[in-house]
């Protein structure tokens, strides 16, 4: 049984890394396929779910990203990546206020100087841009300031 689990983990990592490489090189359709294969092996891996949904959003496949997101187990929803993903989908669906609420919750978490801080800063920057497009300059400026603070 331990051998089967090791083999399963190895297959998952192979597909996951294929997805990461394809994503890094901008081959999003290949990345989607690889992450889907990885998730068939370990369905509740929050990083693989995040990567898959991000690639789907990049390809403007918002409905697929939403259904993928909806399948996330409740326990994983506290994960930073999953919360960022929720905001990303909200931006794609033009639900900026929901995205802002998600981003504000994430900003209250002490993330320090890690990559989550960079992701949260980028999220605030994108929300700021959306508010600016809507002419909501006060909200745009607030999110811009948070993005700057987090990126230091």
């Amino acid at each position: 049984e331990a051998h089967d689990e090791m083999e399963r983990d190895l297959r998952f990592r192979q597909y996951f890394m294929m997805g990461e490489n394809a994503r890094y090189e901008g081959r999003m359709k290949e990345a989607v396929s690889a992450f889907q294969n990885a998730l068939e092996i370990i369905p509740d891996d929050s990083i693989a779910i995040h990567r898959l949904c991000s690639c789907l959003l990049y390809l403007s496949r918002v409905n697929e990203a939403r259904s993928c997101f909806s399948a996330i187990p409740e326990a994983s929803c506290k994960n930073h990546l999953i919360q960022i993903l929720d905001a990303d989908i909200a931006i794609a669906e033009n639900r900026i206020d929901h995205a802002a609420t998600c981003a504000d919750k994430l900003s209250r978490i002490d993330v320090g100087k890690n990559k989550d801080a960079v992701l949260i800063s980028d999220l605030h920057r994108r929300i700021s841009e959306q508010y600016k497009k809507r002419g909501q300059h006060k909200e745009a400026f607030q999110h811009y300031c948070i993005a700057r603070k987090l990126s230091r």
Side-chain angles (χ1 to χ4, degrees):
E1 186 172 301
H3 180 266
D4 290 344
E5 190 171 320
M6 284 176 52
E7 190 174 302
R8 179 191 72 133
D9 288 347
L10 179 61
R11 283 192 355 261
F12 171 83
R13 281 198 296 269
Q14 286 173 328
Y15 282 122
F16 184 85
M17 290 311 300
M18 286 169 57
E20 285 288 85
N21 290 335
R23 186 175 72 94
Y24 180 76
E25 294 172 359
R27 298 177 324 220
M28 295 301 173
K29 287 181 181 176
E30 285 180 44
V32 164
S33 178
F35 289 128
Q36 286 172 331
N37 287 332
L39 287 165
E40 285 177 17
I41 298 166
I42 302 178
D44 60 349
D45 185 88
S46 59
I47 297 173
I49 293 168
H50 176 265
R51 297 294 199 274
L52 171 60
C53 289
S54 295
C55 292
L56 290 168
L57 288 173
Y58 182 87
L59 294 169
S60 298
R61 292 162 58 180
V62 179
N63 290 339
E64 289 175 73
R66 168 57 61 200
S67 67
C68 175
F69 179 80
S70 297
I72 296 170
E74 185 69 32
S76 297
C77 288
K78 290 184 174 75
N79 180 298
H80 293 160
L81 289 176
I82 300 305
Q83 292 175 1
I84 292 168
L85 179 60
D86 186 18
D88 287 337
I89 292 170
I91 290 170
E93 294 174 338
N94 203 27
R95 296 183 299 117
I96 307 309
D97 293 335
H98 178 75
T101 299
C102 293
D104 289 340
K105 287 178 187 173
L106 286 162
S107 297
R108 290 187 207 114
I109 299 167
D110 181 24
V111 290
K113 291 288 178 200
N114 61 25
K115 64 183 174 187
D116 284 342
V118 172
L119 292 172
I120 295 167
S121 172
D122 183 57
L123 175 61
H124 278 284
R125 182 190 53 74
R126 289 183 284 121
I127 291 168
S128 174
E129 290 168 2
Q130 294 302 313
Y131 274 131
K132 187 177 175 186
K133 286 179 187 176
R134 288 179 161 193
Q136 293 176 266
H137 298 290
K138 178 183 169 195
E139 292 86 349
F141 185 68
Q142 288 172 334
H143 286 277
Y144 171 79
C145 290
I146 295 168
R148 289 281 313 239
K149 180 181 166 192
L150 287 170
S151 65
R152 288 185 183 149

